Amino acid sequence: MSSSFPPPLTGIRVIELAGLAPGPYAGLLLADFGATVLRIDRPTSSTEPTADLLTRRKSSLTISLKQQGGASLLMKLIRNADVLIDPYRPGVLEKLGFAPEVLQQINPRLIIARLTGFRRDGPYKDMAGHDINYIGLAGALAMLGRQGEKPYAPGNILADFAGGGLMCFAGILLALYQRTQSGRGQVVEVNMVDGVAHLATFPRFAMNSMFWSSPRGQNVLDGGCPWYDTYETKDGLFVAVGCLEPQFYKAFLKGLALSPDDVPPREDPSKWSQLKAIFSSRFRSKSRVEWEQVFDGTDACVTPILSYPELKGRDFKIRPAVHLSKSPGLEVSSTKSDSKSGDSRQDPRSQTTSNVKDEAYRGRGLIPGNGGEHVLREWMGWTKGKQYDTVDGGSVLSESDIKSNL
């Protein structure tokens, strides 16, 4: 069914102070669902994109917040914005003169999303950290890993993106909804320690049950259980097995050409190592594609473990995170105008990069300053050389406008 409305966040104006990973991901989600996102970069003499690849449909404006004209320009923009994403450590925004209470005075409808790694009120608040530190403090890292081995960090997915960027996106949506009732914005505080701790609600509760009561790597859902694990196939590839329910386990055994009488009882954890050995031997007898032919279309809960190059080769389409039937988000892999969704904006990155075929798998950087002039014209009706200009690579408000702002 064709969409009836433009993406749900169409018309929402977002200012994203440049950062890496969680903040840009929150901005990416907002842009994917129709918001106009303007990233604020530091002035630079480089004409190369920054390291941030989460830039789909975003524009950039270079501003030096240490210059009066730059700070004044950003303050003007904030008067007309809906959301500000702050990725800095506690106190940085205040030192720059942009404390939330100041911003809310000039724009009571503004939603200020403040995203940190550690808790803002905790003992680590002034320290540097990364995903592995945050999941370690949240209790999640201690649960991840094989039996007898050290905890294993699963990339930077849990804290940076799930507990950070996605939680920030959710907080912004909640604040936008509340604003429809009160007419006022608010401060949204997100930290990755709390975000990950919340994501781990089920395993934390399950530690009081058979599912997760044993040490790391010896539980049903953490790789300790033989029917919820990964197995290598004859060709050195892998399959995922997740047949938790008895009827699915029965289908799994059938696919392996085994009967319940051929294997030890699965209810006895002391027999799990024997079961794993049996299953491992069976899976090594065929290639992965042969096992796909055996299990596809069954309820055995056996699927191939595919790499991104394989997904790309299978023409697997990366889609928006959520599908809305009447106001869907924008295509992940398209940077052209989205006429079907009612969005006619051109991705500013298409001005410098022509190869967009692999957009969903490769991502692209955004050159600082690219697309910013268009956004200033669209949001403010400004023209470069009149209301603002460029000094030392950074955009500044004109002197007459600065005086009128004082």
Side-chain angles (χ1 to χ4, degrees):
M1 183 170 62
S2 61
S3 60
S4 305
F5 306 102
L9 299 179
T10 298
I12 296 297
R13 298 174 173 181
V14 180
I15 297 174
E16 176 191 311
L17 301 179
L20 288 174
Y25 184 58
L28 179 74
L29 288 167
L30 293 167
D32 276 350
F33 287 94
T36 301
V37 180
L38 178 64
R39 190 181 75 186
I40 305 300
D41 285 299
R42 295 177 180 177
T44 176
S45 58
S46 174
T47 58
E48 296 296 318
T50 67
D52 174 20
L53 296 177
L54 305 176
T55 61
R56 190 166 54 242
R57 294 189 174 86
K58 297 180 185 179
S59 299
S60 168
L61 186 69
T62 54
I63 296 179
S64 173
L65 298 181
K66 296 180 180 179
Q67 290 182 336
Q68 183 182 6
S72 297
L73 189 151
L74 181 57
M75 200 67 82
K76 280 268 192 178
L77 289 176
I78 287 173
R79 290 179 185 271
N80 292 272
D82 296 288
V83 179
L84 174 70
I85 298 178
D86 165 25
Y88 301 144
R89 292 194 206 182
V92 172
L93 203 62
E94 287 81 354
K95 290 179 181 178
L96 292 170
F98 293 88
E101 53 269 24
V102 174
L103 302 183
Q104 289 179 321
Q105 285 181 358
I106 66 171
N107 183 358
R109 292 177 55 80
L110 181 69
I111 293 162
I112 305 166
R114 313 196 74 179
L115 179 56
T116 59
F118 300 116
R119 289 177 168 177
R120 303 184 73 87
D121 58 353
Y124 302 95
K125 64 183 178 65
D126 296 321
M127 293 170 52
H130 284 292
D131 191 292
I132 193 170
N133 305 115
Y134 312 139
I135 64 176
L137 289 174
L141 183 54
M143 307 178 80
L144 305 175
R146 292 291 186 178
Q147 179 181 358
E149 298 182 6
K150 64 182 181 179
Y152 184 82
N156 68 328
I157 298 173
L158 270 181
D160 279 353
F161 298 105
L166 185 59
M167 291 293 183
C168 185
F169 175 64
I172 290 169
L173 296 185
L174 291 171
L176 284 170
Y177 176 73
Q178 199 278 333
R179 194 179 70 174
T180 65
Q181 302 174 63
S182 67
R184 301 183 69 86
Q186 59 183 299
V187 177
V188 175
E189 291 191 351
V190 181
N191 73 78
M192 289 172 246
V193 172
D194 285 341
V196 171
H198 200 280
L199 289 169
T201 296
F202 172 77
R204 186 171 61 253
F205 290 171
M207 291 179 72
N208 299 306
S209 72
M210 61 166 285
F211 276 94
W212 227 303
S213 58
S214 297
R216 179 175 59 250
Q218 301 178 48
N219 299 283
V220 174
L221 298 177
D222 67 354
C225 171
W227 59 90
Y228 198 90
D229 204 352
T230 60
Y231 291 92
E232 185 175 359
T233 56
K234 184 178 181 180
D235 50 357
L237 300 177
F238 298 89
V239 294
V241 175
C243 47
L244 293 173
E245 292 79 2
Q247 67 273 26
F248 300 157
Y249 183 69
K250 183 178 180 180
F252 169 65
L253 291 181
K254 180 180 178 181
L256 293 180
L258 294 169
S259 74
D261 294 333
D262 296 327
V263 296
R266 76 171 192 159
E267 296 81 9
D268 185 357
S270 68
K271 305 294 183 181
W272 282 3
S273 61
Q274 297 178 41
L275 273 175
K276 280 198 176 188
I278 293 171
F279 296 160
S280 294
S281 177
R282 287 293 169 126
F283 276 114
R284 283 196 295 268
S285 69
K286 299 180 188 293
S287 69
R288 194 186 67 187
V289 69
E290 289 177 308
W291 286 118
E292 287 185 67
Q293 293 168 356
V294 169
F295 287 110
D296 281 3
T298 74
D299 280 345
C301 304
V302 178
T303 54
I305 296 176
L306 301 175
S307 67
Y308 279 120
E310 287 180 291
L311 285 173
K312 184 179 172 184
R314 295 186 179 205
D315 292 326
F316 180 83
K317 184 179 181 181
I318 305 295
R319 298 173 176 173
V322 176
H323 176 70
L324 302 176
S325 63
K326 294 190 175 181
S327 57
L330 304 174
E331 291 289 334
V332 169
S333 59
S334 173
T335 55
K336 298 179 180 179
S337 61
D338 295 272
S339 57
K340 291 184 179 180
S341 62
D343 187 281
S344 59
R345 290 170 295 148
Q346 183 77 11
D347 190 321
R349 301 167 309 157
S350 63
Q351 301 169 13
T352 55
T353 307
S354 58
N355 181 17
V356 299
K357 182 179 179 181
D358 299 332
E359 170 73 7
Y361 286 91
R362 295 175 57 185
R364 287 185 293 153
L366 178 62
I367 298 173
N370 201 355
E373 288 187 32
H374 174 76
V375 173
L376 291 184
R377 185 165 57 251
E378 185 181 70
W379 286 11
M380 312 293 290
W382 287 355
T383 303
K384 186 176 181 179
K386 292 185 178 180
Q387 291 85 3
Y388 74 102
D389 217 320
T390 302
V391 175
D392 296 329
S395 298
V396 296
L397 205 60
S398 68
E399 290 189 12
S400 59
D401 280 273
I402 291 176
K403 293 177 180 177
S404 67
N405 215 34
L406 296 175

